[in-house]
Amino acid sequence: MEAPAFLVAVVPDLAGGRLSLHDRQLFDAARTLAGADGGVIALVGTEGAEFGPAGADRTARVAAPEGYDPDARAAAIAAAMAALDLRHVIFPETPDGGDLARRVAVLAGEPLFADVEMVAAATLMRPARGRRVEQRAAPARLITLAADAVAPYAGAPREARDEPLDTFAAPASAILSAERIPADPARTPLGLADFVVSAGAGVTDFDAFRATAAALGGTPGASRVLCDAGLMPREAQVGASGTVLSATCYLALGIAGAPQHLQGIAGCDHVVAVNTDLHAAMVERAGLAIVQDAQAVMPALIAELAREREASA
């Protein structure tokens, strides 16, 4: 796209420096709003080869402040809005993305249409009043998109051509010191966990399972079979009748993959399966599979992690 008539911007979270599933969904919503004449531009702080396949026609480097400084980041996004004359800017409705969108709305003096669940070229929709009614409106300039409202962009890769942007002088920060304190994975609720390590009927050594989850920094989960048997707590149950996950990675140890369990991990970006059955449904769902007994794999993982730590010490 040589000369788009206008630009629709996407501001992904880029947690860990990579596009999440939610981030990728923003690009599809942006392409809907851009139509045939508009272009989609990613406003990001780093270079990345994945923005073109994700659906970006342009990529603009927005100076990212060091550390946690949401005011400076919001000011940089507001400056990019003015410099590029953006028609729409879409953020993920997440703790970081939603906070950033609201700060930008205040700085730019623009209304924000938040938590959108349906995107069309001329209409946005979101639930209201405890989901008892639907609010519809023409697309606002600032939008936050709910998770799983649309599918990720699945069209042909776009160019993601670099769009020059003048250097922005960030305002002085009022924050003296800030740091992110990671949550204890063992205490993180499954629905909020980014990495879940689950046990199924193929796991018999639960001390090794807990040690493996701790060594990997994962939140322990389990299949319904183990929870029904009282071998794992009910709050650890993964699946349609337990907790539906939105984790980045799911490691399934000895889990065959019942339909309700697979429904519970449908939103996971990456699935790794360890199972003795090559034809198990979980192995078919996985992006990476180890066809082996979980009792043999768990101590091998722990030993390999220990070797890595010794080598890097």
Side-chain angles (χ1 to χ4, degrees):
M1 180 171 285
E2 287 299 326
F6 59 90
L7 291 172
V8 177
V10 167
V11 186
D13 274 348
L14 286 175
R18 55 177 294 277
L19 290 172
S20 67
L21 177 63
H22 196 171
D23 287 339
R24 294 180 183 278
Q25 292 164 359
L26 303 180
F27 287 92
D28 190 73
R31 297 237 62 95
T32 298
L33 294 175
D37 298 326
V40 173
I41 183 168
L43 301 183
V44 294
T46 59
E47 294 181 353
E50 55 186 341
F51 301 124
D57 299 300
R58 302 286 188 271
T59 304
R61 295 284 300 277
V62 178
E66 293 185 6
Y68 178 75
D69 194 344
D71 287 338
R73 190 171 181 218
I77 297 296
M81 283 178 60
L84 298 172
D85 191 25
L86 301 175
R87 178 170 292 190
H88 306 290
V89 185
I90 307 178
F91 305 79
E93 185 57 56
T94 59
D96 287 339
D99 175 74
L100 179 62
R102 287 155 177 82
R103 292 175 186 271
V104 172
V106 171
L107 287 175
E110 295 276 355
L112 170 69
F113 200 74
D115 208 20
V116 169
E117 292 192 353
M118 189 278 287
V119 180
T123 309
L124 302 177
M125 186 278 289
R126 66 182 178 190
R129 299 180 185 176
R131 307 190 72 86
R132 292 191 300 273
V133 299
E134 293 179 351
Q135 291 182 342
R136 295 176 180 267
R141 194 177 187 199
L142 297 177
I143 302 162
T144 65
L145 185 72
D148 302 322
V150 300
Y153 172 72
R158 315 293 288 198
E159 186 180 13
R161 182 192 305 174
D162 183 59
E163 182 75 21
L165 198 60
D166 292 337
T167 302
F168 170 75
S173 175
I175 298 174
L176 300 180
S177 177
E179 63 177 312
R180 290 188 181 273
I181 301 175
D184 179 359
R187 297 177 179 269
T188 302
L190 280 177
L192 301 177
D194 191 56
F195 177 33
V196 176
V197 180
S198 272
V203 171
T204 56
D205 187 345
F206 289 94
D207 288 337
F209 168 70
R210 294 185 186 93
T212 301
L216 290 170
T219 299
S223 67
R224 180 175 179 174
V225 171
L226 294 189
C227 294
D228 286 348
L231 296 171
M232 289 290 286
R234 183 61 64 187
E235 59 268 22
Q237 182 178 328
V238 174
S241 57
T243 299
V244 175
L245 304 182
S246 58
T248 299
C249 185
Y250 184 68
L251 172 57
L253 296 165
I255 299 176
Q260 67 86 23
H261 194 94
L262 294 179
Q263 290 171 23
I265 64 170
C268 296
D269 291 357
H270 305 286
V271 174
V272 180
V274 177
N275 204 290
T276 56
D277 182 3
L278 176 62
H279 303 291
M282 184 62 74
V283 171
E284 294 181 1
R285 166 68 176 84
L288 172 66
I290 301 171
V291 183
Q292 181 57 272
D293 189 342
Q295 316 320 305
V297 171
M298 290 188 293
L301 277 174
I302 294 171
E304 183 61 29
L305 288 168
R307 280 194 293 270
E308 287 189 3
R309 292 191 182 98
E310 289 176 4
S312 60

